[in-house]
Amino acid sequence: MDIRPILSTLRRHKTAAALIVLEVALTCAIVCNALFLVTQRVERISQTSGLAENELVFVRVSGIGKQTNGQSRTQEDLSALRAVPGVTAAAKVNQLPFRPNSSNTSVSLKQEQERPTAFVTMYMFGEGGLPTLGLQLTAGRDFQSSEYSNFEDAQKNASSNTASSVIISRTLADRLYPGESALGKTFYMGKQPLHVVGIVAALATPTDYNNNTTLSMVLPVRTDFTQGPYVLRTAPERREEVLKGAIAALERNDPNRLVREKETYEDQRKDYFKNDRAMVGLLITVCISLLVVTALGIIGLASFWVQQRSKQIGIRRALGATRGQILRYFQTENFLLATLGIVLGMLAAYAINLALMNMYELPRMPLLYLPLGALLLWALGQIAVFGPARRAAAVPPAVATRGT
């Protein structure tokens, strides 16, 4: 099709054409970045914790006043919790994935290294921590009973550079020893040697502090009840029952304590990612709204042009133009306007992404989102203009003989 008549017509309707171009450009710029942000949020929400999430409940308590028998009370609590009907395992940990706070440290491959090799989350598990949480060892072994130490002793060992066993996540193993096995290797937390005895498939961090979501290590350290939650594993259908039994057992052990938290792990995860889900919903709503407004703008302008050009269309029909040719005329016209808007929108999308990178430390948007946005808007334009174009194609040749 010769596009010169289309360009000539558009030059006579510069304002209306410019409005559609700007509308398409704005929609393209916002939709491309919104889709990228939605993808980022969905990936964040979908990340694996490495835990048996649907089998876990946890309880966090705190004492009133100074605690002088924290470790002995913790062992009493664990004995009582393991006796609760429905509990298959129980353990004391200092923290869990997808929580608002985290304990982190830096590690190095050499003791006197100036810059650390990685910044990692430091978990401390008492006896039974791995099987209770459902963590899957891909290499090595669990901690042996002789390797566990109380928190106070672990602090002294760290300051005296006494070696400790450690279990690390697969991603940390790959970061520290790319292309080779980390099992049996030694790295350092400050000056304290850490000997790798096991590797788990995955163990997410509590937060994404310092952009770390997967680099984790577990130390065989017993923390007392004031330092993190008790975790209990049970059948999914018995979680609420076990949670109530656990609270009752802890209150029997010591009624003079406060229950800070009591929750299933799945509920904790949902609560942690609630803002991300809200953001995904908001961005999708914005995208749909923009696309609807753009489609309505194309339909309105195309309908107006069809009405204005009825006599011109009738003349073309009288001169032998087919309905298909009239239909393609308006579709081509829309394609040209959309293409110009998409080109401007791609430039704006890139500029917006650069601004977001500087202000919010977001990653660079992959170029794949630009052609995806272009295809979406081309398809939207063709669908939106199809109705008015069909009405234009239905204009009879007799219209050319009517007076103005």
Side-chain angles (χ1 to χ4, degrees):
M1 177 183 288
D2 189 356
I3 66 171
R4 283 179 296 179
I6 299 176
L7 296 176
S8 177
T9 301
L10 291 176
R11 280 196 294 268
R12 292 197 298 270
H13 301 86
K14 293 179 181 177
T15 302
L19 289 174
I20 290 298
V21 168
L22 291 175
E23 189 173 20
V24 170
L26 178 63
T27 301
C28 181
I30 294 177
V31 166
C32 286
N33 278 282
L35 290 177
F36 171 59
L37 292 175
V38 165
T39 302
Q40 293 287 108
R41 295 286 177 165
V42 170
E43 288 178 356
R44 173 176 159 80
I45 294 170
S46 303
Q47 62 184 302
T48 180
S49 66
L51 313 185
E53 296 186 7
N54 67 337
E55 299 177 31
L56 300 179
V57 300
F58 66 92
V59 180
R60 188 170 70 88
V61 296
S62 63
I64 299 174
K66 186 177 180 180
Q67 304 298 308
T68 57
N69 59 344
Q71 283 292 346
S72 60
R73 178 51 49 84
T74 300
Q75 295 307 311
E76 292 172 5
D77 287 344
L78 285 170
S79 296
L81 291 171
R82 287 165 183 155
V84 171
V87 173
T88 57
K92 178 68 183 61
V93 301
N94 70 322
Q95 57 186 351
L96 288 168
F98 309 139
R99 299 277 292 165
N101 300 300
S102 63
S103 176
N104 307 283
T105 187
S106 58
V107 297
S108 305
L109 293 176
K110 298 179 180 179
Q111 198 171 41
E112 302 298 333
Q113 194 170 310
E114 289 187 11
R115 286 190 174 186
T117 305
F119 191 80
V120 306
T121 284
M122 180 174 59
Y123 286 97
M124 300 178 192
F125 289 1
E127 285 87 346
L130 261 66
T132 298
L133 295 177
L135 293 170
Q136 299 298 314
L137 280 167
T138 60
R141 59 170 175 82
D142 198 351
F143 297 119
Q144 297 173 350
S145 58
S146 60
E147 293 173 320
Y148 287 95
S149 61
N150 292 340
F151 179 75
E152 295 76 11
D153 297 329
Q155 286 185 309
K156 294 176 183 177
N157 291 339
S159 60
S160 63
N161 302 334
T162 302
S164 171
S165 298
V166 68
I167 294 174
I168 62 178
S169 64
R170 169 55 61 187
T171 51
L172 179 57
D174 293 338
R175 173 70 67 86
L176 295 176
Y177 306 102
E180 57 182 302
S181 173
L183 199 63
K185 300 289 180 61
T186 298
F187 62 95
Y188 297 86
M189 179 176 61
K191 293 186 178 181
Q192 183 183 19
L194 301 178
H195 183 65
V196 180
V197 298
I199 301 171
V200 294
L203 178 55
T205 62
T207 68
D208 55 0
Y209 181 72
N210 205 35
N211 294 321
N212 173 31
T213 59
T214 60
L215 304 179
S216 305
M217 67 179 186
V218 181
L219 296 174
V221 177
R222 304 183 192 97
T223 53
D224 67 37
F225 69 88
T226 64
Q227 301 168 294
Y230 291 111
V231 184
L232 295 84
R233 189 170 183 179
T234 184
E237 66 274 10
R238 302 192 68 177
R239 285 177 294 179
E240 294 299 333
E241 171 195 345
V242 163
L243 200 52
K244 292 177 182 178
I247 298 298
L250 292 173
E251 288 179 347
R252 285 194 299 270
N253 269 8
D254 185 353
N256 298 316
R257 288 187 294 185
L258 300 176
V259 177
R260 296 292 188 183
E261 290 180 278
K262 48 179 182 178
E263 203 169 11
T264 67
Y265 187 80
E266 281 191 336
D267 288 341
Q268 161 61 37
R269 179 181 179 123
K270 290 176 184 177
D271 185 64
Y272 182 80
F273 289 114
K274 64 181 180 181
N275 290 336
D276 296 282
R277 289 195 300 274
M279 180 61 71
V280 169
L282 176 62
L283 290 172
I284 291 176
T285 300
V286 168
C287 288
I288 292 174
S289 300
L290 281 172
L291 292 172
V292 169
V293 169
T294 301
L296 291 175
I298 292 171
I299 292 171
L301 181 62
S303 299
F304 175 71
W305 280 348
V306 168
Q307 185 179 4
Q308 274 199 329
R309 301 176 194 173
S310 294
K311 188 175 182 65
Q312 176 187 347
I313 295 169
I315 292 172
R316 288 197 63 191
R317 290 296 312 282
L319 293 175
T322 65
R323 290 190 176 189
Q325 288 173 327
I326 299 298
L327 188 68
R328 286 193 296 274
Y329 176 92
F330 280 93
Q331 289 178 318
T332 303
E333 183 178 72
N334 174 269
F335 182 81
L336 293 175
L337 291 174
T339 299
L340 181 56
I342 287 168
V343 171
L344 296 175
M346 285 182 174
L347 296 175
Y350 186 74
I352 291 173
N353 181 243
L354 288 178
L356 292 174
M357 287 172 60
N358 293 329
M359 290 189 291
Y360 301 107
E361 297 184 355
L362 289 175
R364 185 182 298 277
M365 179 175 64
L367 295 179
L368 173 65
Y369 286 89
L370 298 180
L372 285 178
L375 290 173
L376 180 62
L377 285 165
W378 271 322
L380 177 72
Q382 293 301 299
I383 293 171
V385 82
F386 185 73
R390 284 193 64 186
R391 289 197 295 275
V395 173
V399 171
T401 64
R402 296 175 186 173
T404 57

